[in-house]
């Protein structure tokens, strides 16, 4: 029989499934939404963003086909796609089941009791599939009741999309990582939470990890110019440094 305290914790975590990370509206204070022309990708590059990059190995710049490195959380605000898992990585990691195993190896897991909560984000990866919903939402796994505790305490999480349309069938994973506050703060993104969430993922990936007899270690390449710096178009008005981590995950 489970310990009564753990039973109480689990019940409390399940009660929080009715809550979600709040989605800012376009009129929220401190927001700098994209203009209509911005959302159609016909604006001048600004704040460190450079023209689309061609001939990249293991991934294709979404902007070549009208996509972008900011997802769609509201009509004109989004969150940064700040990590790419290159298709040059271990093929096992590029498959859904393998990617879930890899996520476990670096301290993440699927949502509490397999139940999805929170807002569904869309992203346009320029692969011909237009704006598509997140493929998965993965949360930090704590020793106490796993990802259910993340719902209470807050922590790291990420959304992932696979670039697999006919216009850009690279097979790479595009990830939006962030760190959120605890439930008492209504799961708002933490201060500098987008940069911090990305760096947490990269730190664990490059340190090396293992899961059920499989071992990995990632190499990282940092890219600037794929998205603008600052808070223009960013949900919650939290600025980003504009850097994207491109990871090649090697099987050891």
């Amino acid at each position: 029989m489970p310990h009564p305290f753990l039973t109480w914790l689990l019940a409390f975590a399940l009660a929080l499934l009715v809550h979600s990370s709040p989605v800012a509206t376009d009129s929220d204070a401190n927001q700098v939404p994209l203009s209509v022309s911005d959302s159609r990708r016909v604006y001048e590059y600004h704040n460190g963003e450079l023209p689309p990059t061609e001939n990249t190995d293991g991934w294709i710049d979404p902007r070549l086909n009208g996509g972008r490195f900011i997802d769609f959380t509201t009509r004109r605000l989004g969150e940064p796609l700040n990590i790419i898992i290159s298709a040059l990585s271990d093929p096992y990691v590029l498959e859904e089941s393998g990617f879930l195993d890899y996520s476990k190896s670096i301290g993440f897991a699927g949502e509490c009791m397999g139940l999805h909560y929170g807002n569904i984000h869309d992203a346009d990866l320029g692969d011909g599939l237009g704006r598509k919903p997140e493929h998965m939402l993965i949360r930090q796994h704590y020793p106490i009741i796993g990802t259910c505790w993340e719902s209470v305490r807050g922590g790291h999480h990420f959304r992932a999309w696979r670039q697999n349309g006919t216009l850009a069938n690279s097979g790479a994973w595009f990830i939006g990582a962030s760190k959120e506050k605890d439930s008492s703060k209504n799961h708002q993104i933490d201060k500098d939470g987008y940069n911090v969430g990305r760096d947490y993922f990269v730190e664990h990936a490059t340190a090396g990890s293992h899961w059920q007899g499989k071992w990995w270690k990632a190499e990282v390449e940092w890219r600037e110019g794929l998205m603008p710096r600052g808070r223009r178009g960013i949900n919650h008005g939290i600025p980003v440094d504009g850097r994207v981590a491109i990871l090649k995950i090697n099987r050891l």
Side-chain angles (χ1 to χ4, degrees), residues 125-129 132 135 161-174:
L125 303 184
D127 58 4
L129 297 177
K132 55 186 177 182
H135 193 84
W161 293 260
R162 196 171 185 192
Q163 190 178 54
N164 58 357
T166 56
L167 294 184
N169 190 18
S170 71
W173 289 104
F174 283 69

Side-chain angles (χ1 to χ4, degrees), residues 42-219:
V42 292
Y43 61 88
E44 294 295 327
Y45 298 107
H46 53 78
N47 296 336
E49 187 179 10
L50 300 174
T53 303
E54 297 183 356
N55 304 317
T56 50
D57 291 331
W59 59 283
I60 298 170
D61 191 331
R63 300 174 301 158
L64 291 170
N65 295 307
R68 67 182 200 176
F69 277 88
I70 300 173
D71 73 17
F72 295 89
T73 311
T74 72
R75 185 169 62 92
R76 292 190 294 170
L77 296 173
E79 302 189 354
L81 302 181
N82 46 23
I83 301 171
I84 299 173
I85 305 297
S86 164
L88 301 179
S89 301
D90 174 19
Y92 182 73
V93 171
L94 300 176
E95 299 297 327
E96 180 177 351
S97 59
F99 185 61
L100 288 171
D101 281 350
Y102 177 72
S103 299
K104 294 173 184 176
S105 80
I106 58 172
F108 293 89
E111 295 194 86
C112 178
M113 300 189 70
L115 300 175
H116 180 79
Y117 70 102
N119 301 286
I120 301 295
H121 292 201
D122 293 337
D124 187 344
L125 303 184
D127 58 4
L129 297 177
R131 289 171 52 168
K132 55 186 177 182
E134 63 203 43
H135 193 84
M136 61 183 75
L137 174 59
I138 306 295
R139 298 186 178 277
Q140 185 176 354
H141 186 274
Y142 286 93
I144 301 175
I145 60 174
T147 56
C148 294
W149 188 240
E150 196 272 346
S151 300
V152 179
R153 187 182 184 279
H156 294 272
H157 67 289
F158 66 86
R159 292 173 167 84
W161 293 260
R162 196 171 185 192
Q163 190 178 54
N164 58 357
T166 56
L167 294 184
N169 190 18
S170 71
W173 289 104
F174 283 69
I175 293 172
S178 60
K179 184 176 185 292
E180 66 182 7
K181 298 177 182 179
D182 62 40
S183 57
S184 69
K185 304 296 191 300
N186 200 26
H187 296 289
Q188 288 279 352
I189 299 298
D190 207 352
K191 179 181 179 181
D192 199 30
Y194 298 121
N195 296 333
V196 169
R198 174 202 60 203
D199 293 348
Y200 179 89
F201 189 109
V202 172
E203 179 183 357
H204 285 71
T206 55
S209 61
H210 63 91
W211 183 260
Q212 295 185 340
K214 300 178 181 67
W215 294 74
W216 297 278
K217 189 170 185 179
E219 306 170 41

Side-chain angles (χ1 to χ4, degrees), residues 10-31:
L10 182 58
F12 183 57
L14 289 175
L16 289 171
L17 291 178
V18 298
H19 296 291
S20 62
S21 298
V23 175
T25 65
D26 290 341
S27 60
D28 281 349
N30 299 320
Q31 305 299 297

